[in-house]
Amino acid sequence: MSELASESLTQGELTRMTAAELAAEIHAGKVSSVEVTQAHLDRIAAVDHTVHAFLHVNTEGALSAARAVDEEIAAGRPPVSPLAGVPLALKDVFTTEGIPTTCGSKILEGWVPPYDATVARKLHEAGVVILGKTNMDEFAMGSSTENSAYGTTHNPWDLGRIPGGSGGGSSASLAAFEAPLAIGTDTGGSIRQPASVTGTVGVKPTYGGVSRYGLVAFSSSLDQGGPCARTVLDAALLHEVIAGYDKLDSTSIDAPVPPVVAATREGAIGDLRGVRVGVVREFAGEWYQAGVTNAFRLAVDTLRQLGADIVEVSCPHFDYGLAAYYLIAPSEASSNLARFDAMRYGLRVGDENGNSAEQVMALTREAGFGEEVKRRIMIGTYALSSGYYDAYYGQAQKVRTLITRDFEAAFADVDVLVSPTTPTTAFRIGERVDDPVAMYRADLCTIPANLAGTPAMSVPCGLSDEDGLPVGLQVMAPALQEQRMYRVAAAYEVARNTAQGGPLINRVPQLEVAR
């Protein structure tokens, strides 16, 4: 480290700072991006053997990108973005030119894409330093990151528990202080549920608000990339970097990016007078852990103390969201994953024995896909088959419309909706692997926003009084109105930190350091 940095900030301190704080230090010339990046690379080397958040660490590329930012600052040129020089962990479902992209699957082992996803390109253009690619449930199918072909990621709060899924690698990298920022994707809760169980912040933008070009598809009408961070402000800063219209994505929305940074700064003042907050009646019941319910009630009380008008709202069709999702998403997965056929890229099995193309395809898909991916492909293929399409897929789409109408009716009366992010805290690794339905229930609260395409986010709301593990508060807003939920989340975050003596993330247990 430079003499200046060594006098003021240690490597340990650099990895504990927020992205906004790091950016301010880098842009003021008080510390270099190379020093910040190296501190995080060293942290990964020290603790990732116990966490397993990363599938690939981009050491040379990250340091090269950091040097480029430092050179611009040294030359007196203004930073290209508010996050220039700040490191980030990228979920391994986005294509990255020259860097492996596996989607957590053996079928793509060793594949190096020839192009960047739009999200990756925007990060490069903003001077954000990509540390590497993070672990995930295979093709984003799972709620625990136990379905990765490359091993399970562990929750830094308790290494015997899951970090959520499918984006458990991204959330765990934040909680382990391996990265100050991360990117995830959210098809049914895969940003928000990991954020909830790791005590971090995760945001699913409006569908079409962040480009899906180069995001390897699981369910095309549901998948959405979004920011992950340790604070609401950091998430907002990253949101504005990656959001915006992209002509390469036919589902991209040609509309201004919501002013989420300004809304976050406004919310941090702590005044929610005039804001109507709806508590969703349906997000409660037998599947909800008492510690989660208690933490959520305390969070609602805090919003009331901040001046918000709290009302109960009923969204009756939300109860059918889980069933509808697990017909729509597998159906789209069945179609999207047909491209992995051993003919063009990725794994190829059985080619040496004179097998036909059809046999090679079958052998490759059998060897390359994991059990959960096969399960969902079979469910989806069945739901789309002749004679069953109307009974299953068609009916699920009708439920989707009813859920969208529930949101519309609710937002006619309130500004935002709130709920627990997930019904339980992080469960133990292996606890639900033989019970897919129990695993799927982790997404009870998050799925409706994906079906409707509306934005939603998770912000930490304390620790469960049962097991001492993090609980998330979900805040939902109308389409393209992300600024509403950022304002509420920021106000709540400040109040919670004040009441609890600092950020929740500071209570993560010390991890074993490699020697």
Side-chain angles (χ1 to χ4, degrees), residues 409-455:
F411 288 130
D413 187 46
V414 298
D415 298 299
V416 298
L417 296 172
V418 295
S419 76
T421 303
T422 189
T424 70
T425 56
F427 47 89
R428 296 192 179 279
I429 291 171
E431 186 177 306
R432 300 186 185 180
V433 292
D434 296 324
D435 188 349
V437 175
M439 185 75 77
Y440 298 163
R441 287 195 199 106
D443 301 329
L444 274 172
C445 303
T446 52
I447 279 173
N450 295 91
L451 291 171
T454 52

Side-chain angles (χ1 to χ4, degrees), residues 292-303:
V292 169
T293 300
N294 292 339
F296 173 66
R297 286 173 179 164
L298 289 173
V300 173
D301 286 342
T302 299
L303 295 175

Side-chain angles (χ1 to χ4, degrees), residues 190-206:
S190 291
I191 288 174
R192 290 162 289 155
Q193 185 253 6
S196 177
V197 301
T198 59
T200 57
V201 176
V203 181
K204 183 200 87 69
T206 300

Side-chain angles (χ1 to χ4, degrees), residues 134-467:
T134 55
N135 198 16
M136 56 182 284
D137 285 302
E138 185 179 6
F139 286 104
M141 298 183 193
S143 302
S144 64
T145 317
E146 293 173 281
N147 295 326
S148 170
Y150 304 101
T152 300
T153 296
H154 300 261
N155 191 328
W157 286 85
D158 180 342
L159 295 172
R161 295 179 185 264
I162 58 98
S166 63
S170 290
S171 64
S173 72
L174 296 170
F177 296 96
E178 296 174 300
L181 295 170
I183 296 285
T185 60
D186 196 308
T187 305
S190 291
I191 288 174
R192 290 162 289 155
Q193 185 253 6
S196 177
V197 301
T198 59
T200 57
V201 176
V203 181
K204 183 200 87 69
T206 300
Y207 178 78
V210 173
S211 174
R212 293 188 304 109
Y213 178 76
L215 193 173
V216 181
F218 158 23
S219 179
S220 299
S221 74
L222 298 167
D223 297 341
Q224 184 58 66
C228 310
R230 291 194 291 262
T231 71
V232 175
L233 177 58
D234 285 356
L237 290 165
L238 183 55
H239 191 139
E240 291 196 357
V241 164
I242 62 173
Y245 175 66
D246 180 18
K247 65 181 180 181
L248 297 176
D249 176 6
S250 62
T251 61
S252 181
I253 298 173
D254 190 1
V257 176
V260 295
V261 172
T264 298
R265 297 192 190 281
E266 179 186 358
I269 297 171
D271 184 358
L272 292 182
R273 285 175 295 181
V275 177
R276 288 179 61 80
V277 175
V279 176
V280 181
R281 181 187 304 163
E282 284 71 22
F283 287 150
E286 61 178 312
W287 307 118
Y288 291 76
Q289 189 177 318
V292 169
T293 300
N294 292 339
F296 173 66
R297 286 173 179 164
L298 289 173
V300 173
D301 286 342
T302 299
L303 295 175
R304 183 181 289 109
Q305 292 163 13
L306 290 168
D309 183 14
I310 308 296
V311 298
E312 186 176 76
V313 172
S314 178
C315 297
H317 299 98
F318 281 15
D319 286 339
Y320 305 104
L322 191 67
Y325 174 87
Y326 279 102
L327 284 168
I328 294 169
S331 295
E332 294 184 2
S334 172
S335 175
N336 278 324
L337 270 62
R339 73 191 67 183
F340 301 103
D341 57 6
M343 298 295 112
R344 289 161 289 184
Y345 47 78
L347 185 68
R348 189 177 177 91
V349 175
D351 195 31
E352 69 282 356
N353 298 324
N355 290 312
S356 67
E358 290 80 4
Q359 289 170 322
V360 169
M361 187 184 304
L363 290 168
T364 298
R365 289 169 68 84
E366 168 63 26
F369 287 141
E371 292 305 309
E372 182 62 26
V373 172
K374 291 174 186 173
R375 179 185 291 118
R376 297 198 192 192
I377 288 174
M378 288 189 289
I379 291 171
T381 302
Y382 183 80
L384 293 175
S385 61
S386 177
Y388 296 99
Y389 180 96
D390 289 335
Y392 293 108
Y393 184 76
Q395 287 294 101
Q397 290 289 14
K398 291 177 182 177
V399 171
R400 184 177 195 170
T401 298
L402 293 173
I403 288 172
T404 301
R405 290 175 181 170
D406 280 353
F407 271 114
E408 291 171 352
F411 288 130
D413 187 46
V414 298
D415 298 299
V416 298
L417 296 172
V418 295
S419 76
T421 303
T422 189
T424 70
T425 56
F427 47 89
R428 296 192 179 279
I429 291 171
E431 186 177 306
R432 300 186 185 180
V433 292
D434 296 324
D435 188 349
V437 175
M439 185 75 77
Y440 298 163
R441 287 195 199 106
D443 301 329
L444 274 172
C445 303
T446 52
I447 279 173
N450 295 91
L451 291 171
T454 52
M457 67 187 296
S458 180
V459 61
C461 70
L463 301 178
S464 165
D465 52 19
E466 294 177 299
D467 52 28

